[in-house]
Protein backbone atom coordinates (compact mmCIF):
# COMPACT_ATOMS: atom_id res chain seq x y z
CA UNK A 1 0.00 0.00 0.00
CA UNK A 2 1.46 3.39 -0.94
CA UNK A 3 1.95 6.35 1.39
CA UNK A 4 -0.51 8.56 -0.52
CA UNK A 5 -3.44 10.05 1.33
CA UNK A 6 -6.69 8.14 0.88
CA UNK A 7 -8.24 10.43 -1.71
CA UNK A 8 -10.42 8.10 -3.76
CA UNK A 9 -14.06 7.59 -2.84
CA UNK A 10 -14.81 3.88 -2.38
CA UNK A 11 -17.86 3.68 -4.65
CA UNK A 12 -19.18 0.12 -4.68
CA UNK A 13 -16.18 -1.27 -2.79
CA UNK A 14 -16.89 -3.75 -0.01
CA UNK A 15 -13.51 -5.52 0.11
CA UNK A 16 -11.37 -4.10 2.91
CA UNK A 17 -8.06 -5.12 1.37
CA UNK A 18 -8.83 -3.53 -2.01
CA UNK A 19 -10.17 -0.38 -0.34
CA UNK A 20 -6.93 0.09 1.58
CA UNK A 21 -4.61 -0.88 -1.25
CA UNK A 22 -6.36 1.54 -3.62
CA UNK A 23 -5.96 4.50 -1.26
CA UNK A 24 -9.66 5.10 -0.66
CA UNK A 25 -11.28 7.15 2.05
CA UNK A 26 -11.92 4.93 5.05
CA UNK A 27 -13.90 5.65 8.21
CA UNK A 28 -11.86 3.92 10.91
CA UNK A 29 -14.14 1.30 12.43
CA UNK A 30 -11.27 -0.91 13.56
CA UNK A 31 -12.08 -0.47 17.31
CA UNK A 32 -15.15 -2.57 16.53
CA UNK A 33 -12.82 -5.56 16.02
CA UNK A 34 -11.93 -5.52 19.70
CA UNK A 35 -15.54 -4.96 20.73
CA UNK A 36 -16.64 -8.09 18.86
CA UNK A 37 -13.71 -10.42 19.51
CA UNK A 38 -12.18 -9.07 22.71
CA UNK A 39 -15.17 -7.84 24.72
CA UNK A 40 -18.34 -9.58 23.53
CA UNK A 41 -18.50 -13.04 25.08
CA UNK A 42 -21.16 -14.46 22.74
CA UNK A 43 -20.33 -17.64 20.86
CA UNK A 44 -22.57 -16.52 18.00
CA UNK A 45 -23.35 -12.92 17.09
CA UNK A 46 -26.10 -11.82 14.71
CA UNK A 47 -25.76 -8.48 12.90
CA UNK A 48 -29.22 -7.06 12.19
CA UNK A 49 -28.27 -4.11 10.03
CA UNK A 50 -30.30 -2.65 7.15
CA UNK A 51 -29.10 -3.31 3.63
CA UNK A 52 -26.34 -1.12 2.22
CA UNK A 53 -25.17 -0.29 5.74
CA UNK A 54 -21.63 -1.64 5.33
CA UNK A 55 -21.91 -5.08 6.88
CA UNK A 56 -20.00 -6.78 4.04
CA UNK A 57 -17.11 -4.34 4.49
CA UNK A 58 -17.10 -4.99 8.24
CA UNK A 59 -17.00 -8.76 7.63
CA UNK A 60 -14.13 -8.25 5.18
CA UNK A 61 -12.28 -6.13 7.75
CA UNK A 62 -12.64 -8.87 10.37
CA UNK A 63 -11.34 -11.44 7.89
CA UNK A 64 -8.33 -9.31 6.89
CA UNK A 65 -7.35 -8.62 10.48
CA UNK A 66 -7.81 -12.05 12.02
CA UNK A 67 -6.90 -14.66 9.42
CA UNK A 68 -3.74 -16.70 9.48
CA UNK A 69 -1.47 -16.40 6.46
CA UNK A 70 -1.13 -20.05 5.30
CA UNK A 71 2.19 -19.29 3.61
CA UNK A 72 3.66 -17.81 6.82
CA UNK A 73 1.44 -18.86 9.76
CA UNK A 74 1.17 -16.21 12.49
CA UNK A 75 3.23 -13.69 10.52
CA UNK A 76 1.49 -10.30 10.75
CA UNK A 77 3.35 -8.26 8.12
CA UNK A 78 0.32 -8.12 5.80
CA UNK A 79 -1.95 -6.90 8.58
CA UNK A 80 0.55 -4.32 9.77
CA UNK A 81 0.58 -2.81 6.27
CA UNK A 82 -3.19 -2.98 5.72
CA UNK A 83 -4.07 -1.53 9.11
CA UNK A 84 -1.29 1.06 9.21
CA UNK A 85 -2.54 4.26 10.82
CA UNK A 86 -5.72 2.72 12.25
CA UNK A 87 -6.81 2.85 15.87
CA UNK A 88 -6.67 -0.89 16.47
CA UNK A 89 -2.87 -1.03 16.13
CA UNK A 90 -2.57 1.15 19.23
CA UNK A 91 -3.79 -1.82 21.29
CA UNK A 92 -0.68 -4.00 21.14
CA UNK A 93 -1.95 -6.58 23.64
CA UNK A 94 -5.10 -7.24 21.63
CA UNK A 95 -3.21 -7.29 18.32
CA UNK A 96 -0.65 -9.76 19.66
CA UNK A 97 -3.49 -12.09 20.64
CA UNK A 98 -5.73 -11.81 17.58
CA UNK A 99 -4.07 -10.15 14.57
CA UNK A 100 -3.13 -12.83 12.05
CA UNK A 101 -3.58 -15.49 14.71
CA UNK A 102 -6.96 -17.08 13.89
CA UNK A 103 -8.13 -19.65 11.33
CA UNK A 104 -11.03 -17.87 9.61
CA UNK A 105 -13.78 -19.23 7.36
CA UNK A 106 -15.66 -16.55 5.43
CA UNK A 107 -18.64 -17.37 3.24
CA UNK A 108 -21.15 -15.17 1.46
CA UNK A 109 -24.61 -16.39 0.46
CA UNK A 110 -25.25 -13.33 -1.70
CA UNK A 111 -25.43 -15.27 -4.97
CA UNK A 112 -27.25 -18.35 -3.68
CA UNK A 113 -30.52 -18.53 -5.60
CA UNK A 114 -32.58 -20.64 -7.97
CA UNK A 115 -36.00 -21.13 -9.52
CA UNK A 116 -36.36 -24.53 -7.85
CA UNK A 117 -34.71 -26.44 -5.01
CA UNK A 118 -32.21 -28.23 -7.27
CA UNK A 119 -30.93 -24.94 -8.66
CA UNK A 120 -30.75 -23.51 -5.17
CA UNK A 121 -28.81 -26.52 -3.93
CA UNK A 122 -26.32 -26.33 -6.81
CA UNK A 123 -25.84 -22.63 -6.16
CA UNK A 124 -25.18 -23.30 -2.51
CA UNK A 125 -22.81 -26.17 -3.32
CA UNK A 126 -20.86 -23.82 -5.59
CA UNK A 127 -20.52 -21.29 -2.78
CA UNK A 128 -19.25 -24.00 -0.45
CA UNK A 129 -16.78 -25.23 -3.07
CA UNK A 130 -15.41 -21.72 -3.51
CA UNK A 131 -14.76 -21.43 0.22
CA UNK A 132 -13.34 -24.93 0.67
CA UNK A 133 -10.93 -24.45 -2.23
CA UNK A 134 -9.10 -21.79 -0.20
CA UNK A 135 -7.94 -24.59 2.10
CA UNK A 136 -6.68 -26.98 -0.56
CA UNK A 137 -3.20 -26.51 0.89
CA UNK A 138 -4.28 -28.66 3.84
CA UNK A 139 -4.09 -31.70 1.57
CA UNK A 140 -0.33 -31.54 2.15
CA UNK A 141 -0.67 -31.24 5.92
CA UNK A 142 1.15 -33.70 8.16
CA UNK A 143 -1.38 -33.01 10.93
CA UNK A 144 -4.43 -34.37 9.10
CA UNK A 145 -5.05 -38.08 8.73
CA UNK A 146 -6.28 -39.98 5.68
CA UNK A 147 -9.97 -39.59 6.49
CA UNK A 148 -9.52 -35.83 7.05
CA UNK A 149 -7.95 -35.46 3.63
CA UNK A 150 -10.70 -37.54 2.03
CA UNK A 151 -13.28 -35.16 3.50
CA UNK A 152 -11.32 -32.20 2.18
CA UNK A 153 -11.08 -33.84 -1.22
CA UNK A 154 -14.88 -34.10 -1.35
CA UNK A 155 -15.26 -30.44 -0.35
CA UNK A 156 -12.85 -29.29 -3.04
CA UNK A 157 -14.36 -31.41 -5.82
CA UNK A 158 -17.18 -29.39 -7.33
CA UNK A 159 -18.67 -32.26 -9.34
CA UNK A 160 -19.05 -34.24 -6.10
CA UNK A 161 -20.73 -31.39 -4.23
CA UNK A 162 -23.15 -30.64 -7.06
CA UNK A 163 -24.72 -34.09 -6.82
CA UNK A 164 -27.78 -33.62 -4.66
CA UNK A 165 -27.32 -37.07 -3.10
CA UNK A 166 -24.18 -35.63 -1.47
CA UNK A 167 -26.01 -32.73 0.16
CA UNK A 168 -25.12 -33.91 3.66
CA UNK A 169 -21.49 -33.10 2.85
CA UNK A 170 -22.56 -29.57 1.94
CA UNK A 171 -24.66 -29.20 5.09
CA UNK A 172 -21.68 -30.24 7.21
CA UNK A 173 -19.10 -28.30 5.19
CA UNK A 174 -18.53 -25.37 7.54
CA UNK A 175 -18.33 -27.65 10.55
CA UNK A 176 -15.93 -29.96 8.71
CA UNK A 177 -13.65 -27.09 7.65
CA UNK A 178 -13.51 -25.68 11.17
CA UNK A 179 -12.48 -29.11 12.45
CA UNK A 180 -9.72 -29.45 9.87
CA UNK A 181 -8.38 -25.98 10.65
CA UNK A 182 -8.42 -26.73 14.36
CA UNK A 183 -6.31 -29.82 13.79
CA UNK A 184 -3.89 -27.88 11.60
CA UNK A 185 -3.35 -24.84 13.82
CA UNK A 186 -4.48 -25.97 17.26
CA UNK A 187 -6.80 -22.97 17.41
CA UNK A 188 -10.56 -22.86 17.10
CA UNK A 189 -11.91 -21.21 13.96
CA UNK A 190 -13.88 -18.04 13.47
CA UNK A 191 -16.82 -18.32 11.05
CA UNK A 192 -18.00 -15.22 9.19
CA UNK A 193 -21.27 -15.58 7.24
CA UNK A 194 -22.29 -12.66 5.03
CA UNK A 195 -25.76 -12.22 3.49
CA UNK A 196 -27.05 -15.20 5.49
CA UNK A 197 -30.68 -14.24 4.83
CA UNK A 198 -30.48 -13.71 1.06
CA UNK A 199 -31.44 -17.27 -0.01
CA UNK A 200 -34.53 -17.20 2.21
CA UNK A 201 -35.49 -13.78 0.91
CA UNK A 202 -35.15 -14.88 -2.70
CA UNK A 203 -37.14 -18.05 -2.06
CA UNK A 204 -39.99 -16.29 -0.28
CA UNK A 205 -43.44 -17.15 -1.64
CA UNK A 206 -42.17 -20.19 -3.55
CA UNK A 207 -43.37 -23.75 -3.09
CA UNK A 208 -39.86 -24.88 -2.11
CA UNK A 209 -39.28 -22.26 0.60
CA UNK A 210 -39.67 -24.80 3.40
CA UNK A 211 -37.02 -27.09 1.89
CA UNK A 212 -34.60 -24.20 1.62
CA UNK A 213 -35.30 -23.10 5.19
CA UNK A 214 -34.70 -26.63 6.47
CA UNK A 215 -31.48 -26.92 4.46
CA UNK A 216 -30.05 -23.65 5.79
CA UNK A 217 -31.19 -24.45 9.31
CA UNK A 218 -29.27 -27.72 9.27
CA UNK A 219 -26.18 -26.02 7.79
CA UNK A 220 -26.13 -23.34 10.50
CA UNK A 221 -26.94 -25.83 13.23
CA UNK A 222 -24.03 -28.05 12.23
CA UNK A 223 -21.62 -25.11 12.06
CA UNK A 224 -22.73 -22.98 15.01
CA UNK A 225 -24.26 -25.27 17.64
CA UNK A 226 -22.05 -27.41 19.85
CA UNK A 227 -19.15 -27.10 17.43
CA UNK A 228 -16.08 -27.56 19.61
CA UNK A 229 -13.82 -26.43 16.76
CA UNK A 230 -15.49 -23.02 16.59
CA UNK A 231 -14.39 -20.01 18.62
CA UNK A 232 -17.00 -17.54 17.37
CA UNK A 233 -19.60 -17.27 14.65
CA UNK A 234 -20.77 -14.01 13.05
CA UNK A 235 -23.75 -13.74 10.73
Amino acid sequence: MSNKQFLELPYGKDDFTKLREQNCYFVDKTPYIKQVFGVDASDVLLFTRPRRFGKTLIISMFDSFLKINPEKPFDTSKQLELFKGTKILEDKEFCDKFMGQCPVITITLKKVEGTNFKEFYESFASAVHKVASRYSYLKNSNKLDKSDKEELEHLTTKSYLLKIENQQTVKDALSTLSGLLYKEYGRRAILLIDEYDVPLSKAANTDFYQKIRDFISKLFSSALKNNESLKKGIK
Side-chain angles (χ1 to χ4, degrees), residues 56-232:
T56 297
L57 181 57
I58 288 287
I59 291 287
S60 178
M61 180 179 71
F62 291 164
D63 177 88
S64 296
F65 182 85
L66 298 164
K67 67 183 177 184
I68 292 172
N69 178 358
E71 297 176 359
K72 295 181 179 180
F74 311 116
D75 175 79
T76 60
S77 55
K78 288 185 177 181
Q79 283 89 354
L80 287 171
E81 182 65 18
L82 279 177
F83 288 85
K84 184 177 181 179
T86 62
K87 190 71 174 177
I88 194 65
L89 290 190
E90 296 176 9
D91 193 331
K92 187 176 186 304
E93 182 180 356
F94 177 80
C95 289
D96 287 345
K97 185 176 181 180
F98 286 93
M99 187 171 71
Q101 305 300 305
C102 306
V104 179
I105 302 167
T106 302
I107 185 170
T108 177
L109 306 187
K110 182 178 182 179
K111 296 182 179 180
V112 174
E113 59 185 343
T115 59
N116 53 58
F117 180 74
K118 182 175 182 296
E119 289 182 2
F120 159 82
Y121 169 75
E122 291 176 347
S123 181
F124 207 108
S126 295
V128 165
H129 173 262
K130 183 177 180 179
V131 173
S133 294
R134 298 171 192 156
Y135 307 100
S136 293
Y137 67 90
L138 292 176
K139 295 177 183 179
N140 297 318
S141 171
N142 58 13
K143 297 179 181 179
L144 303 185
D145 59 29
K146 182 179 179 181
S147 63
D148 293 329
K149 293 181 180 181
E150 286 176 352
E151 286 187 300
L152 184 59
E153 184 64 33
H154 288 157
L155 290 175
T156 55
T157 304
K158 191 172 184 179
S159 59
Y160 180 89
L161 296 179
L162 288 175
K163 295 178 180 178
I164 202 163
E165 61 265 30
N166 294 326
Q167 62 179 285
Q168 190 61 49
T169 299
V170 176
K171 291 176 184 176
D172 292 338
L174 301 178
S175 175
T176 299
L177 285 173
S178 63
L180 297 178
L181 289 168
Y182 183 60
K183 286 187 176 182
E184 177 68 12
Y185 297 110
R187 302 185 180 191
R188 292 184 295 156
I190 290 173
L191 174 59
L192 306 174
I193 304 173
D194 193 26
E195 305 283 7
Y196 73 94
D197 57 337
V198 166
L200 292 175
S201 176
K202 290 181 177 179
N205 302 316
T206 68
D207 58 1
F208 54 91
Y209 173 82
Q210 185 64 45
K211 293 181 71 174
I212 291 178
R213 192 183 74 170
D214 291 346
F215 183 94
I216 292 178
S217 175
K218 290 176 182 177
L219 173 92
F220 287 167
S221 178
S222 172
L224 300 172
K225 291 184 179 180
N226 302 315
N227 181 357
E228 295 183 357
S229 299
L230 189 71
K231 181 178 180 65
K232 197 178 191 75

